[in-house]
Amino acid sequence: MSLQEQFDKAAKDVKNLKSLPSDSDLLELYALFKQATVGDADPANKPGMLDLKGKAKFNAWSAKAGTSKEDAQKAYIAKVESLVASLGLQ
């Protein structure tokens, strides 16, 4: 199975977890997914001060700047696999 196929499978599996991961796990998943699919975050799109959720997501994504698409995909797959192991699938 290619890296892209593994990534796509992980993206489907994460939607079928038995319970919701912690906020920190969700931010990590978001950041890795965005880095793998979009690339580095654009500072021009940084959310405003009052958008706390958007700001947290943007900051998590920005922390992954410089990570290659392949490395982000590998890290995302590993994170999903660990969540599946701990939380299980529906």
Side-chain angles (χ1 to χ4, degrees):
M1 188 182 296
S2 74
L3 182 61
Q4 184 64 47
E5 290 169 336
Q6 291 175 5
F7 179 76
D8 292 341
K9 181 185 180 305
K12 288 178 186 169
D13 286 348
V14 80
K15 295 177 184 174
N16 294 315
L17 293 171
K18 279 188 179 176
S19 60
L20 191 64
S22 69
D23 287 345
S24 62
D25 286 336
L26 288 172
L27 281 174
E28 180 76 6
L29 287 170
Y30 174 82
L32 290 169
F33 185 86
K34 292 293 275 186
Q35 189 67 26
T37 57
V38 178
D40 291 347
D42 181 3
N45 294 331
K46 187 174 183 175
M49 281 179 32
L50 299 178
D51 182 2
L52 299 179
K53 183 177 177 180
K55 195 172 181 183
K57 290 167 70 174
F58 182 85
N59 289 340
W61 181 14
S62 293
K64 304 295 180 198
T67 305
S68 71
K69 176 180 178 175
E70 292 78 19
D71 287 345
Q73 286 180 327
K74 289 175 188 174
Y76 183 84
I77 292 164
K79 184 69 175 176
V80 170
E81 287 174 351
S82 72
L83 289 172
V84 167
S86 64
L87 301 175
L89 293 173
Q90 292 180 346

